[in-house]
Structure formats: C-alpha cells, structure tokens
C-alpha cells in the first residue's frame, strides 16, 4: 500500500474528511461535498434509546441512499467516550434492525436486516478521534447476542496496521461496479470485518481491569433497577430472600454489589473451567460452573434467571442481559485468550488457583474502598505456611501438645496438667483444647494450610 494512502487514512478524524476518502479512494458515488446534506439526522430519543446510553451519543446520522437498489443502511454515529461504547451501538442496532413484525415496524421508521447494517463511528478525545467501521453478525456459538466486528484506526496506529485497514477499505468496502448483484455486494462488504471489537486479552492484569470495569457498570444498573422497582418486584423479592436466609442486614447497595460480583466472578469461573470458550453464552453459564462449587452454581443460576430473556407477565423485570451489561462480560470472557491469561497468572503466582486468587486483583480494581473495608488482602502462601507452622510449634513446645494443631487433648485434660489454667465459662471440659477459627476466611488459604 503506497505511503500516501497511509498518510491519507491517518489524518482522517472527522466524518467530512472520511466522506471525501470514500468518494476519492473507494469510488462511493457521493456528489455533494457537505456531510450535512448527505445525511438524515436521528435523535437518541427518537430511537427510544435510554438516557444512560443517550448521554454517550453526540449525533446519529444516516447516509441518504446513493443508489436506488442499495441494500445497506449506513449510519454515522459520533460518540463522546474514548472507547467505542458497544452497549450504545447495540441500542441503535436494536432500534433500526428489521423485526419479525416488519409491517408494523416499517410504518414507524426505516429498518434493515442486521446483516445489511453498517455503522461508521467517531469516538475518542478531540485530539485523538478514532474512526471505526462496525458490523454486527450472528454467531450460532454465541447465543442470541450479535457479535460486533470492527475495522478501525487512528493516527497513532503503526504503518502496517494502517496499510492493512486501507487495503480492506479499498478492496472490500469499495463501491461495487455491478450494483445489481446484491448478494455479491453483501458478501464482499461483510468480508471486511474479521476482528471483534476488543483486543484479545492475554494477561491476568488486563482481564482484571476489563472485568472490574464491566462489573462496576452492572452494579450501577442494578442500583437503578432497584430504585424504580415495586416492593413486590422480582429483584426485591430475591433480595428479601437473601436477607432472611443469609445476610440479615443486606440493603440495596449490598445486594447490587453482590449481584455484580457474583455474575462477574461466576462467569470467570465458568470460563476458566472451559478455556476454549466454545458455546460460551449467558443462558447456559451456570451449567459450566464446576460441580465442586454448588453454592456459586445455584446463586449464579438465580441471578441469571433474574436478568434473563425468558419472561412472562408474572415475572417481567423490565431488564435483560443487555440492560445489566451481562452480555458485555460474556463477550469479554469469550474473546479473551484464557489459556494465555491462566499461563500469565501461573508465571506470577506459581501453584495458585487462578479462580481463587485472581479475586484480589479484581476487587482492588472493582472497588478499592470496599476491599479495604472488608480486609480483602491475599496472604502469600509462604507467609501463611510460616504462621501456621509457628502456631503448630508453639502448641508443641509451650503447651506440651505432641501433635500440635492436630492434637485432640481436651480442656479438662489441659486443666489437670496445668494448675493455673481455668476452663472458660460455657466451655465443656470434653471440648478439644485446639480449635481452628478463621474469622476472615476469604480464599481459605489458612484453613488449607492447617
């Protein structure tokens, strides 16, 4: 790819610059130089997009059809955040994709088959604007969640990357010579998209950062949902169940936090147990949690059903996987190179279980204040071993218990041996003198070492 193509692509930061490139380098039949005159404008409210996602969108425009038989609906979307907000893009998709009730839908606004939609996004800081071509595809292995494929660039990308993008644009997304061959047109344009939106995650640190960010978003969405739900709603009903059976002082904030952490960590546990990621979808996630963790399995099943798509008039929550951000977690974990992540974790934490000890990294990023309040700090195994061995040694040398931590001598026997030893009130003389109590069990490292 010639250097001038690379430079031309790198300088594009705004839609009007891109339109000129589409016309001059990709043969799109664009006759007007004014971007505003080439497009229809939509408002987020007009598309029924919720306030949280609407806040991320600066403008939505649709390119006027350039030819009478053009199958593609082409949208230009300008976002405020630095990263492409996938959830907001999904909202737009859900509003413009052709539903089964096509007749009713077409009376409201133009609509397309999902495979015929192309989103051109502009996002990032003012000096770091990034252009991305995005296309949703349906993958049978990913449940009913459409997968977002992206072809994007900015001026900081390497020359090789810019060459690749320019080649894809000018070959795959070039305007076709034969506009009447619709199927070839569809296949050629769709062939430009091979990469998922997120970069492939290969380190435990990067995975902890990304998963914590999504868990925080789910926590916030749960708080919003609880704030508007009636007292007998399904969210509050489940929260009351947990209050009665498990945590008597559980409040809305604590329940939202429990939900977000359980979903995030339950999905991580399921993903690690199935490293290939095959058929990794939210609907069957609890089935993938190892049978050795029945509590997590049952809790995750309850939470997933609460935020799932199987609804009835009696159990409608008004929210689903997308609204709670669960599908974004699934997409993140499915696309991660989990073999590389586990290997990276093992290099830094030899002989440790990544499912258990990854949690400290996760919670430190998810909510450092909550981590400090709850004392969630992982004690390294050498330190645990030293403390446990020291207690065992003291029991043998100072108290004369030959079996140390494993000794079964009773309080009555100890009182008979030591005249100055008094049996505490409420303690039976037949109770073992050595008791193991870990008041902040956490990952259970002290219990395991004992």
């Amino acid at each position: 790819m010639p250097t001038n193509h690379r430079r031309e692509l790198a300088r594009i930061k705004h839609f009007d610059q891109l339109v000129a490139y589409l016309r001059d380098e990709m043969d799109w039949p664009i006759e007007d130089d004014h971007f505003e005159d080439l497009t229809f404008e939509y408002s987020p409210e007009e598309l029924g997009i919720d306030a949280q996602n609407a806040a991320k969108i600066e403008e939505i425009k649709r390119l006027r059809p350039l030819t009478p038989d053009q199958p593609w609906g082409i949208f230009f979307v300008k976002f405020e955040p630095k990263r492409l907000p996938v959830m907001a893009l999904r909202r737009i998709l859900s509003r413009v994709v052709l539903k089964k009730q096509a007749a009713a839908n077409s009376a409201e606004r133009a609509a397309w088959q999902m495979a015929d939609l192309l989103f051109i996004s502009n996002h990032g800081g003012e000096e770091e604007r990034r252009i991305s071509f995005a296309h949703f595809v349906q993958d049978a292995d990913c449940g009913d969640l459409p997968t977002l494929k992206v072809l994007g660039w900015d001026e900081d990308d390497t020359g090789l990357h810019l060459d690749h993008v320019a080649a894809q644009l000018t070959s795959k997304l070039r305007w076709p010579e034969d506009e009447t061959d619709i199927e070839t047109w569809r296949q050629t344009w769709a062939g430009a998209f091979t990469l998922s939106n997120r970069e492939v995650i290969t380190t435990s640190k990067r995975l902890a950062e990304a998963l914590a960010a999504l868990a925080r978003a789910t926590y916030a969405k749960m708080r919003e949902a609880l704030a508007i739900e009636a007292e007998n709603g399904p969210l509050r009903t489940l929260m009351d169940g947990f209050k009665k059976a498990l945590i008597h002082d559980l409040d809305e904030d604590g329940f939202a936090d429990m939900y977000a952490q359980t979903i995030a960590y339950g999905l991580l546990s399921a993903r690690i147990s199935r490293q290939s990621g095959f058929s990794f979808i939210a609907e069957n996630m609890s089935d993938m949690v190892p049978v050795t963790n029945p509590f997590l399995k049952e809790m995750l099943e309850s939470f997933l059903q609460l935020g799932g798509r199987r609804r009835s008039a009696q159990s409608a929550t008004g929210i689903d996987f997308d609204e709670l951000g669960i599908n974004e977690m699934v997409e993140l974990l499915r696309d991660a190179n989990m073999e590389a992540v586990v290997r990276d974790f093992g290099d830094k934490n030899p002989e440790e279980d990544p499912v258990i000890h990854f949690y400290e990294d996760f919670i430190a990023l998810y909510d450092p204040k909550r981590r400090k309040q709850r004392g969630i700090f992982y004690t390294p195994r050498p330190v645990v071993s030293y403390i446990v061995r020291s207690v065992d040694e003291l029991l043998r040398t100072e108290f004369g218990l030959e079996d140390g931590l494993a000794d079964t001598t009773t309080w009555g026997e100890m009182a008979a041996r030591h005249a100055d030893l008094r049996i505490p009130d409420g303690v039976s003389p037949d109770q073992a003198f050595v008791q193991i109590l870990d008041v902040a069990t956490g990952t259970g490292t002290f219990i395991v070492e004992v």
Side-chain angles (χ1 to χ4, degrees):
M1 182 63 61
T3 304
N4 62 320
H5 274 270
R6 181 188 300 174
R7 291 173 180 167
E8 188 74 14
L9 204 61
R11 74 173 185 82
I12 297 175
K13 293 184 178 181
H14 304 288
F15 287 143
D16 55 350
Q17 298 169 325
L18 177 63
V19 165
Y21 187 87
L22 295 173
R23 179 192 61 214
D24 299 338
E25 305 296 338
M26 296 167 58
D27 298 332
W28 285 31
I30 297 172
E31 298 179 357
D32 200 313
D33 289 331
H34 299 287
F35 178 67
E36 302 296 329
D37 296 333
L38 289 167
T39 56
F40 299 105
E41 185 167 4
Y42 293 78
S43 69
E45 294 75 20
E46 181 183 356
L47 292 176
I49 296 172
D50 58 277
Q52 184 171 352
N53 283 290
K56 303 172 184 176
I57 302 171
E58 289 191 18
E59 64 179 22
I60 307 171
K61 295 182 183 292
R62 175 167 66 89
L63 186 67
R64 297 176 185 272
L66 300 177
T67 60
D69 298 324
Q70 175 182 322
W72 292 84
I74 303 170
F75 285 79
F76 291 86
V77 189
K78 187 176 181 181
F79 291 108
E80 177 61 31
K82 293 183 179 181
R83 292 175 65 89
L84 181 64
V86 180
M87 189 71 74
L89 207 53
R90 288 192 191 284
R91 291 294 174 277
I92 300 173
L93 172 72
S94 69
R95 298 299 177 177
V96 299
V97 72
L98 193 63
K99 305 294 193 301
K100 291 181 180 179
Q101 303 85 358
N105 207 36
S106 61
E108 299 175 7
R109 65 174 73 91
W112 294 260
Q113 298 290 343
M114 185 178 68
D116 289 340
L117 283 164
L118 179 65
F119 297 95
I120 303 174
S121 303
N122 185 219
H123 53 98
E126 190 55 39
E127 298 303 318
E128 302 171 342
R129 298 303 292 182
R130 183 178 181 88
I131 298 288
S132 296
F133 283 71
H135 177 57
F136 285 95
V137 299
Q138 198 69 56
D139 186 339
D141 287 338
C142 301
D144 61 356
L145 175 68
T147 300
L148 181 65
K149 303 288 187 178
V150 172
L151 182 66
W153 74 93
D154 62 29
E155 62 181 359
D156 293 328
D157 281 328
T158 64
L160 287 176
H161 179 76
L162 290 171
D163 286 348
H164 167 74
V165 172
Q168 290 291 94
L169 290 174
T170 54
S171 61
K172 300 290 182 61
L173 289 173
R174 183 180 294 279
W175 202 265
E177 294 182 8
D178 183 2
E179 298 170 353
T180 64
D181 189 353
I182 301 297
E183 286 310 309
T184 298
W185 190 354
R186 283 173 169 146
Q187 292 174 17
T188 302
W189 275 27
F193 301 95
T194 57
L195 297 177
S196 296
N197 172 54
R198 291 189 181 85
E199 73 277 17
V200 176
I201 290 178
T202 58
T203 67
S204 57
K205 182 183 181 205
R206 180 70 191 95
L207 182 61
E209 291 171 349
L211 190 60
L214 294 180
R216 284 196 302 271
T218 294
Y219 160 77
K221 293 173 190 296
M222 278 295 291
R223 288 300 308 268
E224 292 173 8
L226 285 165
I228 63 174
E229 188 178 82
E231 287 299 321
N232 62 347
L235 290 174
R236 292 186 175 277
T237 298
L238 186 62
M239 184 177 79
D240 289 341
F242 273 98
K243 287 178 69 173
K244 292 175 183 176
L246 203 63
I247 307 172
H248 302 309
D249 60 348
L250 185 66
D251 57 12
E252 290 183 13
D253 183 79
F255 181 67
D257 172 57
M258 179 196 296
Y259 186 95
Q261 288 204 50
T262 300
I263 289 290
Y265 224 73
L267 299 186
L268 174 69
S269 176
R271 178 68 174 89
I272 289 179
S273 71
R274 183 174 294 215
Q275 291 189 17
S276 67
F278 178 72
S279 296
F280 189 78
I281 58 177
E283 284 84 346
N284 65 1
M285 201 64 59
S286 61
D287 297 335
M288 299 182 193
V289 175
V291 294
T292 51
N293 199 336
F295 179 74
L296 175 61
K297 193 178 186 73
E298 184 174 342
M299 194 170 176
L300 185 61
E301 173 65 22
S302 299
F303 283 173
L304 286 173
Q305 285 182 349
L306 189 67
R309 288 186 171 81
R310 296 184 294 277
R311 305 186 189 189
S312 66
Q314 292 75 33
S315 64
T317 62
I319 56 178
D320 64 15
F321 289 150
D322 276 341
E323 295 295 338
L324 293 174
I326 296 173
N327 267 327
E328 285 207 84
M329 292 188 200
V330 172
E331 199 172 45
L332 168 75
L333 292 166
R334 188 182 63 227
D335 294 342
N337 185 337
M338 197 55 68
E339 293 88 345
V341 170
V342 172
R343 188 167 55 248
D344 172 70
F345 185 93
D347 289 343
K348 298 168 184 170
N349 308 272
E351 300 181 9
E352 303 291 4
D353 183 341
V355 174
I356 295 176
H357 301 305
F358 181 87
Y359 183 69
E360 185 180 19
D361 294 335
F362 167 79
I363 194 66
L365 294 160
Y366 167 75
D367 191 338
K369 183 179 179 182
R370 206 179 296 264
R371 176 202 187 199
K372 185 176 180 181
Q373 287 175 337
R374 296 178 178 173
I376 304 172
F377 296 92
Y378 170 60
T379 310
R381 285 189 67 176
V383 176
V384 173
S385 177
Y386 171 76
I387 293 172
V388 170
R389 284 187 289 107
S390 297
V391 172
D392 183 71
E393 180 67 19
L394 287 170
L395 288 172
R396 296 171 192 271
T397 57
E398 300 297 322
F399 291 89
L401 298 174
E402 295 182 0
D403 293 328
L405 286 169
D407 203 283
T408 59
T409 300
T410 65
W411 273 95
E413 292 169 335
M414 287 294 290
R417 296 180 192 175
H418 303 277
D420 57 345
L421 180 67
R422 185 178 69 84
I423 300 176
D425 295 338
V427 174
S428 168
D430 297 326
Q431 182 174 312
F433 178 74
V434 177
Q435 300 285 318
I436 309 300
L437 175 64
D438 188 347
V439 294
T441 303
T443 57
T445 48
F446 278 91
I447 298 296
V448 170
E449 189 66 24
V450 168

